[in-house]
């Protein structure tokens, strides 16, 4: 068992968990933050993406114990109170979702993507969005509205 | 002056998905998100590592002794029937007792304090069995003398011998079409909570709660009224949760009742892919007679399918392949037969299109054969063979239903123009004529898809509406939400019926407690059936409110009408809330169950005749690709789609369905390859080895339009048409475009033997074959 302590969505949290506890399990089971979904268990599908110290990370293959002291943001922590994050708003406005299971991971990856491109001063082209989303699978939408959503949000972020 | 209020959320509007805000904030609840009561246990399946064997016994002592294990469930622990066959054929055990019939077959379940403990323990069983020879594909299984898994179907019309005898040309060929894994992002899951007496509540991810209920009752040996199945939403279904949840629901429920504690089961992705069924792959032999103009005279086809070890839904799936082997084309003389072949593989099941796509692609391959043989543009051959308008004797299908609502001609003409097909095709031929390494192809393919369950009794639905005395509305129906927006569409229908704001309606989880004896949310029928049932319920309550309003104000019922500002009663306008409150005080019944059954359909399977479909949905797609003839790699440059959804209930949701279906259909025919090794083990068992389309795979240019002029000729809900499955087959245009690009290396003289899925490897092989032969 390991004692872990981290900041999740701005709140300090801690817990004693088996060494092999995954971040996705810690978030979902210990903290009941079930917006982080587990789709493939093997970091292929991207449904579990969260931010760790501001960067996108797949929670289903990350050991919780390796994140001692880290700042974690999940989909539940993205909105500013009642106001949706521009990326959440864009997925909502552009029908960038169907079953919604991939949506939290898509949004977390996309926020990181836009932040990185802005920080580096690079242009986020449609081509770049498609390529950046290669670690996030969606089976419903055909990605058309997802790419549109990211473009929309990028203009507002 | 009259004031008009535009109320949002009625039909024919782009109402947002009702769960969208919950989904983008992570608050939408899926089965695995339900808070677990203290004491919840976790189950995991132990599976076979051989494809076919006589089962002598399983030594489970190490499993039972493993850390955290509470119980092991085997066939002996099943209190009722050891059977979860959805069609009642009794050929699909929960756990086998005498023989193992596929690699990865569940043999027992471990129940432990944690999922991790159950998973580890499941590996410790020692299976004693005598391995037997196995056959995993329909051809080798037939050669090995394995039986058909269910009765085949024959569709016949005209005089096939005469048709071939008089045809100017004849071609025989074969096409192999691969299967497909559903790869819903949320895998299978079931969570059973035991209750008093024989009761159990099962939360699960299924398209067919009533069947899950029935199966749980069947394996527990209790009446259906002891079992409740709940589904709030699924993280995708696509047909993969129409019957395949039975196993998981059964295991969770048996465990929960045996141990008196809640039991949850969620296989990991590998087990989800290896232990549950997929789209049927087919080997199709065809024989076509046609004249020098490319008009088909006669078609004979045999459709052999890999059904797996049990019948599951393979009967109706292979039937539907035959129903769609004509696609949009009239066959003057025709004979089509199915071969639902038993194989030593997981039992294949429903998948968007339900066999239809395999029929359609056979039709499109036949068209391509004719076009190459006569050196014609395949689009001209397609047009020459379209069903007629009813005046030319060319509108009878192989199953003797006449096509009375044909609009394929207009759909294709419009798309041909808007996509600039002819000029682009010329440009592509000129590009290819330069003989470069990169080659291009373009294809415009149609789809006609029959709507209704071919099992006629499935075409019924129920709904339940309560109007509470504060004016809020509770809506329930038998359909399930898997992302397609069914709940949104049905709520739009109800909002419009009561002329109230969409947000006044609470959409509630699907549960067998509220609407009984439901059909699967499948066959694209969700809105058609449940929309009508909900409307029926709303109309009943409205009628009671109208009669109360008329009586209370002393006016005739004709003087009462529902409008967006309230109910007009004579010269008064009373807000909805107020009238409801008054009606409650006057003891008016404010709850109703609605019901609907599709009219005018019938099907005589033995005779191969009837009107199995209420109507047809149509569409067309034009796709352009570039291939690299040195590597076989390709990309889709552009796709244009025009699709018919009648008068759309919700154009934004419908376009989303069309886009997603196209990409999924493209994936089926391009990168999604299911591959079994010689041991019968599925080696493409996770997204690491099974490639569904990614954002980067979608067409560089993607133009999707609904045929906004179309209106269903039948009295469907608001004259809309079903949308789930038909656009899936638009992906065939990508396959045929690849075929053209490949054919260019031999100057289009030979129809390429391109098998589906056309992986880059297969494209390269097809190119190499043509080069070698050229």
């Amino acid at each position: 068992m390991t004692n872990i302590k981290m900041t999740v969505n701005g709140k300090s949290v801690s817990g004693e968990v088996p060494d092999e506890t995954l971040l996705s399990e810690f978030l979902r089971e210990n903290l009941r933050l079930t917006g982080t979904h587990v789709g493939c268990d093997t970091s292929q599908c991207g449904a579990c993406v969260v931010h760790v110290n501001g960067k996108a990370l797949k929670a289903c293959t990350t050991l919780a114990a390796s994140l001692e002291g880290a700042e974690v943001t999940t989909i539940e922590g993205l909105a500013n109170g009642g106001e949706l994050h521009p990326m959440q708003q864009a997925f909502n406005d552009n029908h960038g979702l169907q079953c919604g299971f991939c949506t939290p991971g898509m949004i977390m990856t996309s926020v990181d993507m836009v932040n990185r491109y802005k920080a580096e001063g690079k242009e986020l082209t449609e081509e770049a969005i498609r390529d950046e989303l290669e670690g996030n699978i969606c089976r419903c939408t055909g990605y058309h509205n997802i790419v549109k959503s990211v473009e929309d949000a990028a203009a507002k972020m | 002056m009259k004031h008009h209020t535009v109320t949002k959320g009625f039909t024919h509007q782009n109402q947002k998905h009702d769960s969208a805000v919950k989904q983008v904030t992570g608050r939408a609840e899926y089965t695995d998100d339900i808070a677990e009561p203290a004491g919840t246990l976790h189950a995991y399946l132990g599976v076979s590592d051989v494809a076919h064997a006589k089962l002598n016994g399983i030594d489970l002592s190490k499993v039972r002794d493993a850390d955290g294990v509470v119980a092991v469930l085997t066939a002996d622990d099943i209190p009722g029937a050891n059977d979860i066959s959805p069609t009642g054929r009794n050929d699909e055990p929960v756990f086998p007792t005498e023989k193992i019939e596929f690699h990865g077959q569940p043999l027992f379940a471990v129940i432990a304090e944690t999922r991790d403990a159950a998973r580890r323990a499941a590996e410790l069983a020692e299976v004693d069995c005598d391995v037997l020879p196995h056959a995993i594909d329909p051809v080798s299984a037939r050669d090995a003398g394995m039986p058909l898994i269910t009765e085949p179907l024959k569709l016949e019309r005209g005089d096939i011998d005469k048709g071939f005898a008089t045809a100017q040309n004849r071609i025989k060929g074969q096409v192999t079409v691969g299967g497909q894994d559903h790869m819903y992002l949320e895998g299978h899951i079931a969570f059973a909570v035991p209750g008093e007496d024989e009761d159990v509540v099962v939360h699960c991810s299924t398209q067919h709660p009533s069947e899950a209920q029935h199966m749980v009752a069947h394996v527990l040996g209790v009446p259906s009224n002891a079992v409740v199945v709940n589904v709030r939403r699924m993280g995708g279904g696509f047909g993969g949760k129409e019957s395949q949840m039975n196993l998981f629901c059964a295991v969770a429920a048996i465990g929960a009742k045996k141990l008196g504690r809640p039991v949850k089961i969620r296989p990991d992705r590998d087990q989800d892919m290896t232990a549950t069924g997929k789209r049927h792959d087919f080997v199709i032999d065809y024989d076509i007679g046609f004249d020098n103009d490319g008009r088909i005279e006669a078609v004979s086809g045999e459709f052999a399918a890999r059904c797996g070890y049990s019948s599951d839904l393979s009967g109706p799936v292979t039937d539907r392949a035959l129903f769609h082997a004509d696609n949009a084309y009239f066959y003057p003389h025709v004979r089509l037969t199915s071969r639902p072949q038993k194989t030593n593989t997981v039992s294949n099941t429903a998948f968007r299109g339900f066999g239809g796509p395999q029929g359609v692609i056979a039709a499109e391959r036949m068209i391509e054969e004719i076009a190459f043989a006569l050196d014609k543009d395949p689009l001209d051959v397609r047009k020459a063979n379209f069903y007629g308008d009813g005046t030319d004797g060319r509108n009878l299908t192989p199953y003797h239903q006449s096509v009375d609502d044909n609009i394929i001609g207009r759909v294709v003409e419009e798309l041909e123009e808007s996509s600039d097909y002819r000029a682009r095709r010329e440009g592509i031929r000129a590009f290819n004529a330069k003989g470069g390494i990169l080659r291009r192809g373009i294809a415009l393919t149609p789809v006609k898809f029959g709507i209704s369950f071919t099992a006629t009794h499935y075409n019924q639905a129920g709904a339940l509406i309560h109007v509470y005395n504060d004016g809020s509305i509770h809506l329930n129906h038998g359909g399930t939400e898997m992302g397609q927006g069914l709940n949104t569409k049905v709520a739009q229908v109800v909002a419009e019926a009561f002329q109230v704001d969409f947000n006044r309606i609470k959409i509630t989880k699907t549960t067998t407690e509220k609407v009984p004896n439901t059909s699967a949310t499948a066959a694209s029928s969700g809105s058609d059936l449940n929309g009508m049932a909900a409307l029926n319920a709303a109309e009943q309550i409205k009628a009671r409110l109208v009669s109360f309003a008329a009586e209370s104000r002393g006016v005739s019922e004709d003087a009462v009408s529902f409008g967006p500002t309230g109910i007009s009663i004579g010269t008064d306008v009373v807000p909805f809330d107020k009238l409801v409150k008054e009606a409650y005080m006057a003891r008016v019944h404010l709850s109703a169950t609605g019901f609907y059954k599709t009219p005018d359909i019938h099907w005589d399977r033995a005779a191969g005749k009837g009107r199995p479909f209420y109507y047809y949905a149509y569409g067309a797609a034009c796709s352009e690709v570039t291939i690299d003839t040195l590597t076989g790699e390709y990309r889709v440059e552009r796709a244009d789609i025009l699709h018919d959804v009648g008068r759309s209930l919700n154009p934004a949701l419908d376009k989303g369905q069309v886009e997603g279906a196209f990409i999924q259909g493209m994936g089926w025919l391009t990168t999604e390859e299911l591959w079994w090794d010689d041991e019968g083990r599925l080696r493409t068992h996770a997204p690491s080895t099974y490639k569904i389309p990614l954002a980067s795979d979608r067409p560089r240019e993607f133009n999707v339009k609904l045929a906004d002029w179309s209106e269903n000729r039948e009295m469907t809900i608001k004259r809309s048409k079903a949308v789930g499955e038909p656009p899936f087959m638009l992906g065939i245009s990508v396959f045929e475009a690849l075929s053209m690009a490949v054919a260019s290396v031999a100057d289009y003289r030979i129809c390429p033997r391109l098998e589906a899925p056309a992986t880059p490897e297969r494209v390269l092989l097809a190119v190499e074959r043509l080069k070698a032969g050229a």
Side-chain angles (χ1 to χ4, degrees), chain A residues 8-86:
Chain A
V8 177
N9 299 333
K11 281 186 206 151
S12 180
V13 298
S14 60
E16 192 184 334
V17 296
D19 298 353
E20 66 272 21
T21 301
L22 300 165
L23 177 59
S24 54
E25 294 168 339
F26 183 66
L27 294 171
R28 291 181 54 83
E29 290 161 26
N30 293 58
L31 307 182
R32 287 283 304 148
L33 292 170
T34 54
T36 300
H37 297 152
V38 177
C40 72
D41 310 89
T42 50
S43 49
Q44 308 285 330
C45 80
C48 65
V49 171
V50 298
H51 292 177
V52 174
N53 299 326
K55 287 187 177 156
L57 187 91
K58 288 179 174 171
C60 80
T61 45
T62 303
L63 290 171
S66 71
L67 299 179
E68 180 67 27
E71 296 243 357
V72 176
T73 306
T74 71
I75 189 72
E76 292 92 343
L78 202 59
N80 181 11
E83 192 191 337
L84 296 180
H85 183 280

Side-chain angles (χ1 to χ4, degrees), chain A residues 20 28 32 34-35 37-41 44-45 47 75-76 84 88 91-93 95 97-104 107 126-127 130-131 133-134 137-145 147, chain B residues 16 20 23-26 30 32-33 35 116 180-183 185-186 234-236 238 266 268-269 482-483 652-653 656-657 659-660 663-664 672 687-688 692-696 698-700 702:
Chain A
E20 66 272 21
R28 291 181 54 83
R32 287 283 304 148
T34 54
H37 297 152
V38 177
C40 72
D41 310 89
Q44 308 285 330
C45 80
I75 189 72
E76 292 92 343
L84 296 180
Q88 293 173 312
F91 272 72
N92 182 43
D93 292 346
H95 186 43
L97 51 85
Q98 285 181 29
C99 84
F101 204 79
C102 76
T103 309
I107 288 175
E126 202 227 355
E127 191 76 17
R130 293 159 173 269
D131 290 344
L133 287 177
E134 283 199 343
I137 294 175
C138 168
R139 191 50 150 168
C140 298
T141 64
Y143 305 97
H144 196 59
N145 291 341
V147 175
Chain B
K16 282 194 196 352
Q23 286 166 329
V24 301
T25 53
Y30 300 83
D32 203 23
D33 303 338
D116 187 57
Q180 185 175 31
D181 189 84
H182 304 85
M183 194 59 83
L185 263 278
E186 178 208 36
M234 281 166 273
F238 314 113
R266 176 176 82 78
D268 72 352
R269 180 60 61 171
M482 58 195 106
L653 294 186
Q657 285 293 298
E659 290 157 6
I663 298 295
Q664 202 174 62
E672 295 185 37
S688 54
I692 73 166
L694 298 174
S696 49
R698 68 187 247 276
R700 289 308 185 258
F702 196 20

Side-chain angles (χ1 to χ4, degrees), chain B residues 131-145:
Chain B
V131 175
L132 300 167
H134 60 263
I136 57 171
D137 67 82
V139 175
S140 64
R142 181 191 57 200
D143 293 347

Side-chain angles (χ1 to χ4, degrees), chain B residues 513-626:
Chain B
E513 280 185 312
K514 284 186 183 158
V515 178
N517 307 321
T518 58
S519 297
T521 307
S524 310
S525 66
S527 308
D528 281 13
L529 296 176
N530 296 290
M532 282 300 230
L535 181 61
N536 175 249
E539 294 293 354
Q540 293 173 47
I541 297 173
K542 271 178 74 177
R544 291 178 211 147
L545 286 171
V546 166
S547 112
F548 163 73
E551 202 180 304
S552 68
R553 304 298 194 280
V555 299
S556 78
E557 291 192 5
D558 295 344
V560 181
S561 65
F562 280 67
T565 53
I567 294 88
S568 299
I569 310 169
T571 52
D572 268 5
V573 177
V574 182
F576 184 78
D577 292 358
K578 189 164 177 287
L579 184 72
V580 164
K581 189 77 169 183
E582 282 182 35
Y584 164 73
M585 295 305 292
R587 299 186 293 178
V588 174
H589 184 200
L590 294 173
S591 173
T593 58
F595 186 75
Y596 176 72
K597 55 182 177 179
T598 312
D600 306 329
I601 49 172
H602 52 91
W603 171 237
D604 181 345
R605 190 175 185 275
K609 288 184 182 178
R611 185 179 188 247
F613 303 120
Y614 191 31
Y615 64 88
Y616 296 97
Y618 300 85
C622 176
S623 293
E624 179 181 340
V625 302
T626 305

